[in-house]
Amino acid sequence: MKIEICTHNEAKMIVSALNTHNLNNAPAVLTKTWTPLDYVIKNTDNQILGGILSGIGYWGGLEIKILWVKEEYREQGIGSKLLKTVEDIALSKGAKLSILDTFDFQAEQFYVKNGYQEFGRLDNFPKGHQRIYLSKKL
């Protein structure tokens, strides 16, 4: 046996094998593939002010991977607008739950303000900080 760096095609095979195993044990609720919900918000000059990378997994949960707003545009409702947009789309597609994680130096209070509740916290990751896991019923 030997361990090698994984190629892109090998990674796709591993993901496919795990998805097959998962779906055999817990059938898909909404879709058998990831449904991306990736959006940007732009100003009138077509400059990106923020964006959200998210999607619906096969068990019907909205997963927020990244939400970012340009620093000078924060606290103006842009992040909430992006979040609400994908939550509404996910809900219209049948999702019932949204999940995400953030760090104590990022946006914990922003998500709490938007209706998310903590369900887990990992201390000292990264060192001296916490990783926080949150969810929201849609």
Side-chain angles (χ1 to χ4, degrees):
M1 285 189 266
K2 61 182 178 177
I3 296 176
E4 299 178 340
I5 294 173
C6 192
T7 67
H8 179 70
N9 284 338
E10 289 166 338
K12 287 173 63 175
M13 185 280 304
I14 291 166
V15 169
S16 177
L18 180 60
N19 285 343
T20 298
H21 171 79
N22 290 344
L23 292 171
N24 284 339
N25 287 283
V29 174
L30 297 178
T31 177
K32 289 187 180 186
T33 60
W34 177 256
T35 304
L37 297 175
D38 301 334
Y39 291 89
V40 294
I41 188 164
K42 299 178 180 180
N43 64 13
T44 55
D45 294 329
N46 214 31
Q47 296 173 324
I48 296 174
L49 305 181
I52 189 167
L53 305 179
S54 61
I56 302 170
Y58 43 69
W59 293 310
L62 170 63
E63 298 179 35
I64 309 296
K65 300 296 186 184
I66 294 175
L67 193 158
W68 168 82
V69 175
K70 206 171 185 177
E71 195 164 343
E72 61 266 31
Y73 292 96
R74 293 179 186 165
E75 298 189 24
Q76 297 180 30
I78 291 171
S80 294
K81 184 177 277 200
L82 284 164
L83 190 59
K84 179 88 167 105
T85 296
V86 297
E87 288 173 350
D88 288 347
I89 293 168
L91 187 60
S92 75
K93 293 181 178 295
K96 304 291 186 210
L97 180 73
S98 178
I99 59 173
L100 59 89
D101 66 88
T102 190
F103 293 96
D104 60 349
F105 55 85
Q106 287 181 326
E108 177 183 5
Q109 291 310 309
F110 165 79
Y111 291 114
V112 169
K113 180 184 87 176
N114 280 279
Y116 285 76
Q117 296 181 330
E118 179 180 327
F119 67 87
R121 187 174 292 255
L122 183 59
D123 290 329
N124 215 31
F125 184 77
K127 187 176 180 180
H129 293 282
Q130 298 175 324
R131 189 168 188 175
I132 304 141
Y133 299 86
L134 302 120
S135 66
K136 177 182 179 180
K137 290 182 182 175
L138 299 177

